[in-house]
Amino acid sequence: ALLWATLLPTPKSLAAGSSWYLNNQATCSSCTGKSWESAWKSFASVVWGQGGINPGDTLYIAGSSTPYIGPLNIPSLTATTGTITITKGESSPYNSEVKIDGQSGYGIRVNTGQAVTIRGLSFINSNGIYVNGVSSSNDQGLLIDSCRFTDFRRAGVFVDSANQVTI
């Protein structure tokens, strides 16, 4: 018998967005965030919306012995389709532990109606992740997966206003 198969792209590959990079050890002079060689150097340098991260995109953060200083503010964006993913680098030498030091504040602030996944990060000296103002009309969910919280102040994850949060 002859078997025919048609390989169709998975929904994830249909909706795959751009990859962006953050490395607090980066040495580039003109950092665009578009590769490890031109990675953004700090949370403050991350660009959101036009010319930067949008729903469907992934921000890869390089592991480092030097903690990143929070907060990383995830704003509300115009586009609402697709998940913004924040995760550590996938390959060596960028895949070691990512530590985010909130310095008694928050490590990541999620103020958005977009779907967001935060995966594989460690939070120290902070209130971890703060979620606020997620619109129920736009909310596609927040997933916090395989994160570690140590020396946190009030809560590892503080949800002020949101729907569909999975930890």
Side-chain angles (χ1 to χ4, degrees):
L2 184 56
L3 177 63
W4 291 92
T6 303
L7 298 176
L8 298 174
T10 63
K12 181 179 179 183
S13 64
L14 285 173
S18 299
S19 295
W20 299 91
Y21 303 88
L22 176 67
N23 182 355
N24 61 8
Q25 303 300 306
T27 58
C28 59
S29 58
S30 176
C31 303
T32 63
K34 294 182 179 179
S35 69
W36 285 121
E37 293 74 28
S38 67
W40 291 309
K41 297 179 185 180
S42 68
F43 289 152
S45 62
V46 172
V47 176
W48 299 94
Q50 186 174 358
I53 300 171
N54 282 290
D57 293 352
T58 299
L59 174 61
Y60 292 100
I61 304 176
S64 173
S65 58
T66 303
Y68 292 83
I69 304 302
L72 172 62
N73 290 302
I74 303 173
S76 187
L77 299 167
T78 315
T80 58
T81 304
T83 299
I84 297 170
T85 301
I86 313 293
T87 190
K88 69 179 186 173
E90 293 182 328
S91 60
S92 183
Y94 307 108
N95 62 346
S96 60
E97 183 178 20
V98 173
K99 293 181 182 176
I100 299 174
D101 186 340
Q103 297 188 333
S104 298
Y106 292 100
I108 294 180
R109 294 179 65 93
V110 180
N111 299 298
T112 180
Q114 286 76 37
V116 176
T117 295
I118 300 170
R119 178 176 290 123
L121 307 178
S122 295
F123 296 86
I124 60 172
N125 302 320
S126 72
N127 290 317
I129 301 170
Y130 177 74
V131 183
N132 183 34
V134 176
S135 168
S136 60
S137 63
N138 290 344
D139 188 15
Q140 299 171 1
L142 170 65
L143 172 64
I144 300 169
D145 179 28
S146 303
C147 291
R148 187 172 140 190
F149 303 89
T150 56
D151 297 326
F152 58 87
R153 303 297 179 233
R154 293 189 321 190
V157 178
F158 184 83
V159 179
D160 194 7
S161 172
N163 294 320
Q164 302 177 22
V165 176
T166 305
I167 301 173

PDB file of all heavy atoms in Angstrom, residues 120-154:
ATOM      1  N   GLY A 120      11.163  30.040  32.940  1.00  0.00           N
ATOM      2  CA  GLY A 120      12.535  29.665  33.269  1.00  0.00           C
ATOM      3  C   GLY A 120      13.415  30.761  33.837  1.00  0.00           C
ATOM      4  O   GLY A 120      14.629  30.703  33.692  1.00  0.00           O
ATOM      5  N   LEU A 121      12.834  31.748  34.516  1.00  0.00           N
ATOM      6  CA  LEU A 121      13.609  32.850  35.080  1.00  0.00           C
ATOM      7  C   LEU A 121      13.643  32.747  36.598  1.00  0.00           C
ATOM      8  O   LEU A 121      12.744  32.184  37.211  1.00  0.00           O
ATOM      9  CB  LEU A 121      13.005  34.193  34.663  1.00  0.00           C
ATOM     10  CG  LEU A 121      12.784  34.396  33.157  1.00  0.00           C
ATOM     11  CD1 LEU A 121      12.142  35.752  32.906  1.00  0.00           C
ATOM     12  CD2 LEU A 121      14.078  34.248  32.387  1.00  0.00           C
ATOM     13  N   SER A 122      14.680  33.329  37.207  1.00  0.00           N
ATOM     14  CA  SER A 122      14.803  33.359  38.670  1.00  0.00           C
ATOM     15  C   SER A 122      14.688  34.797  39.143  1.00  0.00           C
ATOM     16  O   SER A 122      15.292  35.702  38.566  1.00  0.00           O
ATOM     17  CB  SER A 122      16.157  32.787  39.104  1.00  0.00           C
ATOM     18  OG  SER A 122      16.244  31.430  38.774  1.00  0.00           O
ATOM     19  N   PHE A 123      13.913  34.989  40.212  1.00  0.00           N
ATOM     20  CA  PHE A 123      13.686  36.318  40.774  1.00  0.00           C
ATOM     21  C   PHE A 123      14.268  36.371  42.174  1.00  0.00           C
ATOM     22  O   PHE A 123      13.975  35.502  42.998  1.00  0.00           O
ATOM     23  CB  PHE A 123      12.184  36.627  40.812  1.00  0.00           C
ATOM     24  CG  PHE A 123      11.579  36.700  39.433  1.00  0.00           C
ATOM     25  CD1 PHE A 123      11.138  35.549  38.803  1.00  0.00           C
ATOM     26  CD2 PHE A 123      11.474  37.906  38.773  1.00  0.00           C
ATOM     27  CE1 PHE A 123      10.597  35.599  37.519  1.00  0.00           C
ATOM     28  CE2 PHE A 123      10.928  37.970  37.496  1.00  0.00           C
ATOM     29  CZ  PHE A 123      10.498  36.813  36.873  1.00  0.00           C
ATOM     30  N   ILE A 124      15.091  37.395  42.457  1.00  0.00           N
ATOM     31  CA  ILE A 124      15.705  37.570  43.771  1.00  0.00           C
ATOM     32  C   ILE A 124      15.447  38.991  44.266  1.00  0.00           C
ATOM     33  O   ILE A 124      15.242  39.904  43.473  1.00  0.00           O
ATOM     34  CB  ILE A 124      17.222  37.275  43.734  1.00  0.00           C
ATOM     35  CG1 ILE A 124      17.948  38.222  42.759  1.00  0.00           C
ATOM     36  CG2 ILE A 124      17.492  35.820  43.350  1.00  0.00           C
ATOM     37  CD1 ILE A 124      19.460  38.118  42.801  1.00  0.00           C
ATOM     38  N   ASN A 125      15.441  39.151  45.586  1.00  0.00           N
ATOM     39  CA  ASN A 125      15.317  40.476  46.209  1.00  0.00           C
ATOM     40  C   ASN A 125      14.194  41.316  45.608  1.00  0.00           C
ATOM     41  O   ASN A 125      14.372  42.493  45.323  1.00  0.00           O
ATOM     42  CB  ASN A 125      16.631  41.261  46.086  1.00  0.00           C
ATOM     43  CG  ASN A 125      17.785  40.536  46.705  1.00  0.00           C
ATOM     44  OD1 ASN A 125      17.654  39.928  47.760  1.00  0.00           O
ATOM     45  ND2 ASN A 125      18.921  40.563  46.038  1.00  0.00           N
ATOM     46  N   SER A 126      13.058  40.688  45.404  1.00  0.00           N
ATOM     47  CA  SER A 126      11.998  41.432  44.734  1.00  0.00           C
ATOM     48  C   SER A 126      10.634  40.927  45.157  1.00  0.00           C
ATOM     49  O   SER A 126      10.509  40.011  45.960  1.00  0.00           O
ATOM     50  CB  SER A 126      12.142  41.290  43.213  1.00  0.00           C
ATOM     51  OG  SER A 126      11.788  39.994  42.793  1.00  0.00           O
ATOM     52  N   ASN A 127       9.635  41.533  44.578  1.00  0.00           N
ATOM     53  CA  ASN A 127       8.273  41.041  44.711  1.00  0.00           C
ATOM     54  C   ASN A 127       7.925  40.172  43.515  1.00  0.00           C
ATOM     55  O   ASN A 127       6.761  39.920  43.253  1.00  0.00           O
ATOM     56  CB  ASN A 127       7.297  42.213  44.826  1.00  0.00           C
ATOM     57  CG  ASN A 127       7.448  42.924  46.156  1.00  0.00           C
ATOM     58  OD1 ASN A 127       7.569  42.289  47.191  1.00  0.00           O
ATOM     59  ND2 ASN A 127       7.477  44.235  46.119  1.00  0.00           N
ATOM     60  N   GLY A 128       8.912  39.742  42.760  1.00  0.00           N
ATOM     61  CA  GLY A 128       8.707  38.820  41.650  1.00  0.00           C
ATOM     62  C   GLY A 128       7.998  39.454  40.478  1.00  0.00           C
ATOM     63  O   GLY A 128       8.488  40.405  39.881  1.00  0.00           O
ATOM     64  N   ILE A 129       6.831  38.937  40.165  1.00  0.00           N
ATOM     65  CA  ILE A 129       6.070  39.377  38.997  1.00  0.00           C
ATOM     66  C   ILE A 129       4.791  40.061  39.465  1.00  0.00           C
ATOM     67  O   ILE A 129       4.057  39.534  40.289  1.00  0.00           O
ATOM     68  CB  ILE A 129       5.719  38.173  38.096  1.00  0.00           C
ATOM     69  CG1 ILE A 129       7.003  37.475  37.624  1.00  0.00           C
ATOM     70  CG2 ILE A 129       4.873  38.615  36.908  1.00  0.00           C
ATOM     71  CD1 ILE A 129       6.762  36.151  36.942  1.00  0.00           C
ATOM     72  N   TYR A 130       4.547  41.240  38.934  1.00  0.00           N
ATOM     73  CA  TYR A 130       3.346  42.011  39.254  1.00  0.00           C
ATOM     74  C   TYR A 130       2.451  42.048  38.022  1.00  0.00           C
ATOM     75  O   TYR A 130       2.905  42.380  36.923  1.00  0.00           O
ATOM     76  CB  TYR A 130       3.739  43.434  39.656  1.00  0.00           C
ATOM     77  CG  TYR A 130       2.570  44.341  39.940  1.00  0.00           C
ATOM     78  CD1 TYR A 130       1.833  44.213  41.109  1.00  0.00           C
ATOM     79  CD2 TYR A 130       2.224  45.341  39.044  1.00  0.00           C
ATOM     80  CE1 TYR A 130       0.767  45.059  41.383  1.00  0.00           C
ATOM     81  CE2 TYR A 130       1.160  46.194  39.310  1.00  0.00           C
ATOM     82  CZ  TYR A 130       0.443  46.045  40.477  1.00  0.00           C
ATOM     83  OH  TYR A 130      -0.605  46.882  40.744  1.00  0.00           O
ATOM     84  N   VAL A 131       1.196  41.697  38.189  1.00  0.00           N
ATOM     85  CA  VAL A 131       0.235  41.672  37.090  1.00  0.00           C
ATOM     86  C   VAL A 131      -0.890  42.635  37.413  1.00  0.00           C
ATOM     87  O   VAL A 131      -1.540  42.505  38.452  1.00  0.00           O
ATOM     88  CB  VAL A 131      -0.333  40.242  36.895  1.00  0.00           C
ATOM     89  CG1 VAL A 131      -1.268  40.200  35.702  1.00  0.00           C
ATOM     90  CG2 VAL A 131       0.780  39.222  36.757  1.00  0.00           C
ATOM     91  N   ASN A 132      -1.134  43.601  36.526  1.00  0.00           N
ATOM     92  CA  ASN A 132      -2.161  44.597  36.788  1.00  0.00           C
ATOM     93  C   ASN A 132      -2.744  45.114  35.484  1.00  0.00           C
ATOM     94  O   ASN A 132      -2.039  45.256  34.500  1.00  0.00           O
ATOM     95  CB  ASN A 132      -1.585  45.774  37.574  1.00  0.00           C
ATOM     96  CG  ASN A 132      -2.646  46.788  37.927  1.00  0.00           C
ATOM     97  OD1 ASN A 132      -3.796  46.437  38.175  1.00  0.00           O
ATOM     98  ND2 ASN A 132      -2.273  48.039  37.962  1.00  0.00           N
ATOM     99  N   GLY A 133      -4.016  45.405  35.524  1.00  0.00           N
ATOM    100  CA  GLY A 133      -4.661  46.077  34.406  1.00  0.00           C
ATOM    101  C   GLY A 133      -4.852  45.224  33.182  1.00  0.00           C
ATOM    102  O   GLY A 133      -5.014  45.749  32.093  1.00  0.00           O
ATOM    103  N   VAL A 134      -4.827  43.917  33.338  1.00  0.00           N
ATOM    104  CA  VAL A 134      -5.054  43.059  32.180  1.00  0.00           C
ATOM    105  C   VAL A 134      -6.536  43.109  31.852  1.00  0.00           C
ATOM    106  O   VAL A 134      -7.369  42.724  32.661  1.00  0.00           O
ATOM    107  CB  VAL A 134      -4.578  41.613  32.455  1.00  0.00           C
ATOM    108  CG1 VAL A 134      -4.921  40.715  31.285  1.00  0.00           C
ATOM    109  CG2 VAL A 134      -3.084  41.598  32.714  1.00  0.00           C
ATOM    110  N   SER A 135      -6.841  43.605  30.667  1.00  0.00           N
ATOM    111  CA  SER A 135      -8.225  43.785  30.254  1.00  0.00           C
ATOM    112  C   SER A 135      -8.895  42.449  29.985  1.00  0.00           C
ATOM    113  O   SER A 135      -8.385  41.642  29.226  1.00  0.00           O
ATOM    114  CB  SER A 135      -8.264  44.644  28.990  1.00  0.00           C
ATOM    115  OG  SER A 135      -9.540  44.609  28.423  1.00  0.00           O
ATOM    116  N   SER A 136     -10.029  42.232  30.598  1.00  0.00           N
ATOM    117  CA  SER A 136     -10.738  40.974  30.377  1.00  0.00           C
ATOM    118  C   SER A 136     -11.244  40.858  28.940  1.00  0.00           C
ATOM    119  O   SER A 136     -11.448  39.774  28.441  1.00  0.00           O
ATOM    120  CB  SER A 136     -11.903  40.832  31.358  1.00  0.00           C
ATOM    121  OG  SER A 136     -12.815  41.893  31.180  1.00  0.00           O
ATOM    122  N   SER A 137     -11.417  41.972  28.244  1.00  0.00           N
ATOM    123  CA  SER A 137     -11.876  41.909  26.856  1.00  0.00           C
ATOM    124  C   SER A 137     -10.769  41.453  25.918  1.00  0.00           C
ATOM    125  O   SER A 137     -11.022  40.891  24.870  1.00  0.00           O
ATOM    126  CB  SER A 137     -12.416  43.271  26.408  1.00  0.00           C
ATOM    127  OG  SER A 137     -11.381  44.234  26.442  1.00  0.00           O
ATOM    128  N   ASN A 138      -9.513  41.707  26.281  1.00  0.00           N
ATOM    129  CA  ASN A 138      -8.384  41.317  25.431  1.00  0.00           C
ATOM    130  C   ASN A 138      -7.635  40.117  25.973  1.00  0.00           C
ATOM    131  O   ASN A 138      -6.870  39.492  25.273  1.00  0.00           O
ATOM    132  CB  ASN A 138      -7.372  42.462  25.318  1.00  0.00           C
ATOM    133  CG  ASN A 138      -7.903  43.606  24.507  1.00  0.00           C
ATOM    134  OD1 ASN A 138      -8.876  43.469  23.791  1.00  0.00           O
ATOM    135  ND2 ASN A 138      -7.267  44.747  24.630  1.00  0.00           N
ATOM    136  N   ASP A 139      -7.799  39.815  27.245  1.00  0.00           N
ATOM    137  CA  ASP A 139      -6.943  38.849  27.919  1.00  0.00           C
ATOM    138  C   ASP A 139      -6.985  37.474  27.286  1.00  0.00           C
ATOM    139  O   ASP A 139      -8.031  36.868  27.155  1.00  0.00           O
ATOM    140  CB  ASP A 139      -7.337  38.744  29.390  1.00  0.00           C
ATOM    141  CG  ASP A 139      -6.373  37.898  30.182  1.00  0.00           C
ATOM    142  OD1 ASP A 139      -5.271  37.616  29.700  1.00  0.00           O
ATOM    143  OD2 ASP A 139      -6.738  37.510  31.288  1.00  0.00           O
ATOM    144  N   GLN A 140      -5.828  37.000  26.878  1.00  0.00           N
ATOM    145  CA  GLN A 140      -5.691  35.662  26.323  1.00  0.00           C
ATOM    146  C   GLN A 140      -4.918  34.771  27.280  1.00  0.00           C
ATOM    147  O   GLN A 140      -4.619  33.640  26.959  1.00  0.00           O
ATOM    148  CB  GLN A 140      -4.979  35.733  24.968  1.00  0.00           C
ATOM    149  CG  GLN A 140      -5.743  36.550  23.960  1.00  0.00           C
ATOM    150  CD  GLN A 140      -4.929  36.806  22.702  1.00  0.00           C
ATOM    151  OE1 GLN A 140      -3.807  36.367  22.569  1.00  0.00           O
ATOM    152  NE2 GLN A 140      -5.501  37.543  21.788  1.00  0.00           N
ATOM    153  N   GLY A 141      -4.555  35.290  28.413  1.00  0.00           N
ATOM    154  CA  GLY A 141      -3.924  34.475  29.426  1.00  0.00           C
ATOM    155  C   GLY A 141      -2.490  34.844  29.735  1.00  0.00           C
ATOM    156  O   GLY A 141      -1.765  35.379  28.918  1.00  0.00           O
ATOM    157  N   LEU A 142      -2.094  34.539  30.968  1.00  0.00           N
ATOM    158  CA  LEU A 142      -0.726  34.720  31.442  1.00  0.00           C
ATOM    159  C   LEU A 142      -0.269  33.376  31.977  1.00  0.00           C
ATOM    160  O   LEU A 142      -0.940  32.774  32.816  1.00  0.00           O
ATOM    161  CB  LEU A 142      -0.679  35.778  32.556  1.00  0.00           C
ATOM    162  CG  LEU A 142       0.645  35.910  33.309  1.00  0.00           C
ATOM    163  CD1 LEU A 142       1.755  36.398  32.381  1.00  0.00           C
ATOM    164  CD2 LEU A 142       0.487  36.858  34.490  1.00  0.00           C
ATOM    165  N   LEU A 143       0.870  32.906  31.466  1.00  0.00           N
ATOM    166  CA  LEU A 143       1.448  31.654  31.923  1.00  0.00           C
ATOM    167  C   LEU A 143       2.802  31.943  32.544  1.00  0.00           C
ATOM    168  O   LEU A 143       3.670  32.540  31.896  1.00  0.00           O
ATOM    169  CB  LEU A 143       1.614  30.665  30.759  1.00  0.00           C
ATOM    170  CG  LEU A 143       2.396  29.383  31.062  1.00  0.00           C
ATOM    171  CD1 LEU A 143       1.666  28.534  32.102  1.00  0.00           C
ATOM    172  CD2 LEU A 143       2.632  28.597  29.779  1.00  0.00           C
ATOM    173  N   ILE A 144       2.967  31.545  33.813  1.00  0.00           N
ATOM    174  CA  ILE A 144       4.254  31.652  34.502  1.00  0.00           C
ATOM    175  C   ILE A 144       4.718  30.225  34.726  1.00  0.00           C
ATOM    176  O   ILE A 144       4.098  29.471  35.472  1.00  0.00           O
ATOM    177  CB  ILE A 144       4.110  32.433  35.818  1.00  0.00           C
ATOM    178  CG1 ILE A 144       3.583  33.842  35.526  1.00  0.00           C
ATOM    179  CG2 ILE A 144       5.444  32.476  36.561  1.00  0.00           C
ATOM    180  CD1 ILE A 144       3.160  34.616  36.734  1.00  0.00           C
ATOM    181  N   ASP A 145       5.804  29.853  34.041  1.00  0.00           N
ATOM    182  CA  ASP A 145       6.225  28.462  33.973  1.00  0.00           C
ATOM    183  C   ASP A 145       7.683  28.311  34.402  1.00  0.00           C
ATOM    184  O   ASP A 145       8.563  28.998  33.871  1.00  0.00           O
ATOM    185  CB  ASP A 145       6.038  27.963  32.533  1.00  0.00           C
ATOM    186  CG  ASP A 145       6.461  26.523  32.340  1.00  0.00           C
ATOM    187  OD1 ASP A 145       6.395  25.739  33.292  1.00  0.00           O
ATOM    188  OD2 ASP A 145       6.859  26.199  31.208  1.00  0.00           O
ATOM    189  N   SER A 146       7.930  27.417  35.345  1.00  0.00           N
ATOM    190  CA  SER A 146       9.284  27.032  35.753  1.00  0.00           C
ATOM    191  C   SER A 146      10.133  28.220  36.209  1.00  0.00           C
ATOM    192  O   SER A 146      11.324  28.288  35.925  1.00  0.00           O
ATOM    193  CB  SER A 146       9.999  26.283  34.620  1.00  0.00           C
ATOM    194  OG  SER A 146       9.261  25.152  34.231  1.00  0.00           O
ATOM    195  N   CYS A 147       9.522  29.165  36.902  1.00  0.00           N
ATOM    196  CA  CYS A 147      10.257  30.299  37.462  1.00  0.00           C
ATOM    197  C   CYS A 147      10.579  30.023  38.924  1.00  0.00           C
ATOM    198  O   CYS A 147       9.889  29.252  39.588  1.00  0.00           O
ATOM    199  CB  CYS A 147       9.446  31.586  37.333  1.00  0.00           C
ATOM    200  SG  CYS A 147       9.270  32.156  35.623  1.00  0.00           S
ATOM    201  N   ARG A 148      11.617  30.665  39.415  1.00  0.00           N
ATOM    202  CA  ARG A 148      12.061  30.469  40.795  1.00  0.00           C
ATOM    203  C   ARG A 148      12.060  31.821  41.514  1.00  0.00           C
ATOM    204  O   ARG A 148      12.511  32.817  40.955  1.00  0.00           O
ATOM    205  CB  ARG A 148      13.470  29.881  40.765  1.00  0.00           C
ATOM    206  CG  ARG A 148      13.988  29.484  42.092  1.00  0.00           C
ATOM    207  CD  ARG A 148      15.291  28.748  41.904  1.00  0.00           C
ATOM    208  NE  ARG A 148      16.197  29.177  42.942  1.00  0.00           N
ATOM    209  CZ  ARG A 148      17.459  28.889  42.990  1.00  0.00           C
ATOM    210  NH1 ARG A 148      18.003  28.170  42.038  1.00  0.00           N
ATOM    211  NH2 ARG A 148      18.204  29.302  43.968  1.00  0.00           N
ATOM    212  N   PHE A 149      11.558  31.820  42.742  1.00  0.00           N
ATOM    213  CA  PHE A 149      11.454  33.052  43.520  1.00  0.00           C
ATOM    214  C   PHE A 149      12.159  32.846  44.856  1.00  0.00           C
ATOM    215  O   PHE A 149      11.771  31.982  45.629  1.00  0.00           O
ATOM    216  CB  PHE A 149       9.974  33.406  43.756  1.00  0.00           C
ATOM    217  CG  PHE A 149       9.193  33.541  42.489  1.00  0.00           C
ATOM    218  CD1 PHE A 149       8.570  32.441  41.913  1.00  0.00           C
ATOM    219  CD2 PHE A 149       9.092  34.758  41.847  1.00  0.00           C
ATOM    220  CE1 PHE A 149       7.860  32.559  40.732  1.00  0.00           C
ATOM    221  CE2 PHE A 149       8.369  34.891  40.675  1.00  0.00           C
ATOM    222  CZ  PHE A 149       7.764  33.788  40.110  1.00  0.00           C
ATOM    223  N   THR A 150      13.198  33.663  45.135  1.00  0.00           N
ATOM    224  CA  THR A 150      13.909  33.588  46.417  1.00  0.00           C
ATOM    225  C   THR A 150      14.072  34.991  46.982  1.00  0.00           C
ATOM    226  O   THR A 150      14.199  35.963  46.241  1.00  0.00           O
ATOM    227  CB  THR A 150      15.296  32.923  46.266  1.00  0.00           C
ATOM    228  OG1 THR A 150      16.054  33.633  45.284  1.00  0.00           O
ATOM    229  CG2 THR A 150      15.171  31.477  45.837  1.00  0.00           C
ATOM    230  N   ASP A 151      14.068  35.077  48.289  1.00  0.00           N
ATOM    231  CA  ASP A 151      14.207  36.363  48.993  1.00  0.00           C
ATOM    232  C   ASP A 151      13.198  37.391  48.506  1.00  0.00           C
ATOM    233  O   ASP A 151      13.505  38.565  48.346  1.00  0.00           O
ATOM    234  CB  ASP A 151      15.629  36.926  48.831  1.00  0.00           C
ATOM    235  CG  ASP A 151      16.665  36.026  49.454  1.00  0.00           C
ATOM    236  OD1 ASP A 151      16.352  35.402  50.486  1.00  0.00           O
ATOM    237  OD2 ASP A 151      17.779  35.933  48.912  1.00  0.00           O
ATOM    238  N   PHE A 152      11.955  36.923  48.255  1.00  0.00           N
ATOM    239  CA  PHE A 152      10.944  37.864  47.804  1.00  0.00           C
ATOM    240  C   PHE A 152      10.317  38.558  49.014  1.00  0.00           C
ATOM    241  O   PHE A 152      10.373  38.073  50.124  1.00  0.00           O
ATOM    242  CB  PHE A 152       9.899  37.205  46.899  1.00  0.00           C
ATOM    243  CG  PHE A 152       9.152  36.049  47.491  1.00  0.00           C
ATOM    244  CD1 PHE A 152       8.009  36.249  48.226  1.00  0.00           C
ATOM    245  CD2 PHE A 152       9.603  34.751  47.282  1.00  0.00           C
ATOM    246  CE1 PHE A 152       7.309  35.184  48.755  1.00  0.00           C
ATOM    247  CE2 PHE A 152       8.909  33.679  47.808  1.00  0.00           C
ATOM    248  CZ  PHE A 152       7.765  33.895  48.545  1.00  0.00           C
ATOM    249  N   ARG A 153       9.723  39.715  48.759  1.00  0.00           N
ATOM    250  CA  ARG A 153       9.197  40.558  49.832  1.00  0.00           C
ATOM    251  C   ARG A 153       7.762  40.185  50.211  1.00  0.00           C
ATOM    252  O   ARG A 153       7.499  39.638  51.228  1.00  0.00           O
ATOM    253  CB  ARG A 153       9.269  42.035  49.432  1.00  0.00           C
ATOM    254  CG  ARG A 153      10.673  42.484  49.071  1.00  0.00           C
ATOM    255  CD  ARG A 153      11.606  42.373  50.275  1.00  0.00           C
ATOM    256  NE  ARG A 153      12.945  42.787  49.896  1.00  0.00           N
ATOM    257  CZ  ARG A 153      14.028  42.064  50.080  1.00  0.00           C
ATOM    258  NH1 ARG A 153      13.959  40.885  50.619  1.00  0.00           N
ATOM    259  NH2 ARG A 153      15.200  42.521  49.741  1.00  0.00           N
ATOM    260  N   ARG A 154       6.791  40.520  49.375  1.00  0.00           N
ATOM    261  CA  ARG A 154       5.385  40.261  49.680  1.00  0.00           C
ATOM    262  C   ARG A 154       4.890  38.987  49.033  1.00  0.00           C
ATOM    263  O   ARG A 154       4.206  38.194  49.656  1.00  0.00           O
ATOM    264  CB  ARG A 154       4.510  41.424  49.215  1.00  0.00           C
ATOM    265  CG  ARG A 154       4.742  42.685  49.959  1.00  0.00           C
ATOM    266  CD  ARG A 154       3.732  43.753  49.637  1.00  0.00           C
ATOM    267  NE  ARG A 154       3.380  43.786  48.226  1.00  0.00           N
ATOM    268  CZ  ARG A 154       2.679  44.739  47.669  1.00  0.00           C
ATOM    269  NH1 ARG A 154       2.242  45.734  48.386  1.00  0.00           N
ATOM    270  NH2 ARG A 154       2.403  44.715  46.398  1.00  0.00           N
TER     271      ARG A 154
END
